[in-house]
């Protein structure tokens, strides 16, 4: 297994993995990102996010996409893992752990105290894996989202 | 009420609001950020996060701190709200809503589809407010965190 930084030429493989993960997460129709979106956001002049690719025998086996978040309590950034996916045929050989370890090492090298991500509550294999590496579920918090038409309507409302 | 971008000279007020919010969130000892951390991360050459200040009669009444996250499904960034706080003596007059609306407007102006944040599950006033503006709790997701010694230990583990 080789873990390396993604490059521009990986864009189609990355988009394919995003689609595969969305199918696994039971939301295949929610991926609207295009190949140009991926090229621009990961490999533009000011990347919005970053990608590590895991390769086995020259084949793309999985990926991790992440960006920097920020904690006011710590006054410093941390890593937020947006997507982690290993193709089914490559599972069980430590690739997911290898990708997670690579990001953990970036945190340690840069002095970041926190590495975070979300997990779907029904995704037990993932939850067990994350607990096994020492991660803790932040059960007392709930994520809220304002999006689409609700977001546009709220932005238009007159001030009180 | 005036909502404006925070400036370098607001750094101490911002740190004070971070502390006040941490007390409200029952975690007063978790704030380790220093004034230099705030100055560097909000007002350095490459800001990690951004702050809007709400003022009433020239006094700082509240703030919102946010940064850009990234969605692989959308292939675009969105706004993640890290902290929102209105001082108790200024509550009930639409300041929280004004700050949220300002960030929603940034999303709409830039074409971002998502505005997100976390809420503590016991914080009913906040949850009711967020629902009233059209936000939806992402109940099927749980945030995981790997941090501190657990993070450093995992990063040191040998690969499988």
């Amino acid at each position: 297994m080789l873990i390396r930084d993604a490059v521009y030429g990986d864009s189609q493989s990355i988009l394919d993995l995003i689609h595969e993960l969305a199918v696994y997460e039971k939301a295949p129709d929610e991926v609207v990102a295009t190949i140009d979106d991926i090229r621009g956001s990961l490999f533009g002049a000011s990347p919005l996010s970053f990608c590590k690719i895991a390769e086995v025998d020259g084949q793309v086996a999985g990926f991790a996409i992440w960006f920097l978040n920020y904690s006011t309590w710590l006054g410093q950034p941390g890593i937020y893992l947006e997507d982690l996916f290993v193709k089914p045929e490559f599972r069980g050989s430590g690739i997911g752990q290898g990708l997670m370890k690579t990001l953990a090492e970036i945190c340690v090298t840069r002095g970041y105290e926190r590495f975070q991500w979300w997990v779907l509550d029904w995704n037990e294999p993932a939850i067990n894996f994350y607990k096994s590496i020492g991660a803790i579920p932040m059960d007392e918090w709930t994520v809220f989202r304002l999006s689409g038409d609700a977001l546009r309507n709220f932005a238009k409302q007159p001030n009180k």
Side-chain angles (χ1 to χ4, degrees), chain A:
Chain A
M1 176 180 56
L2 165 75
I3 292 177
R4 60 169 175 81
D5 286 322
V7 296
Y8 188 87
D10 293 314
S11 300
Q12 187 60 55
S13 300
I14 292 168
L15 188 54
D16 292 344
L17 290 165
I18 291 169
H19 277 279
E20 270 196 75
L21 175 56
V23 169
Y24 179 77
E25 290 183 336
K26 303 176 185 172
D29 300 331
E30 295 205 33
V31 180
V32 299
T34 65
I35 186 79
D36 286 336
D37 291 332
I38 298 303
R39 287 173 179 152
S41 49
L42 270 72
F43 305 109
S46 299
L48 294 165
S49 64
F50 308 92
C51 181
K52 291 280 180 186
I53 296 277
E55 268 184 18
V56 175
D57 298 331
Q59 277 193 287
V60 172
F63 79 154
I65 292 192
W66 57 281
F67 56 82
L68 291 184
N69 60 11
Y70 177 74
S71 162
T72 45
W73 291 3
L74 302 179
Q76 68 159 201
I79 284 187
Y80 179 86
L81 173 69
E82 172 70 10
D83 277 359
L84 176 75
F85 187 71
V86 176
K87 290 185 179 184
E89 61 270 34
F90 292 102
R91 284 183 200 156
S93 58
I95 294 173
Q97 181 157 22
L99 286 162
M100 292 297 283
K101 228 173 76 73
T102 300
L103 300 191
E105 287 163 359
I106 296 173
C107 288
V108 172
T109 304
R110 299 186 183 181
Y112 301 163
E113 286 289 319
R114 287 185 189 166
F115 177 18
Q116 294 182 172
W117 58 91
W118 296 3
V119 190
L120 279 162
D121 289 339
W122 53 257
N123 193 354
E124 254 188 77
I127 289 170
N128 292 335
F129 165 56
Y130 294 140
K131 286 183 176 168
S132 79
I133 65 171
I136 287 170
M138 309 287 288
D139 285 326
E140 71 278 28
W141 296 87
T142 297
V143 180
F144 272 71
R145 176 181 292 171
L146 181 60
S147 64
D149 287 340
L151 173 61
R152 285 181 284 273
N153 289 338
F154 175 59
K156 273 194 306 215
Q157 270 179 27
N159 285 314
K160 259 194 196 171

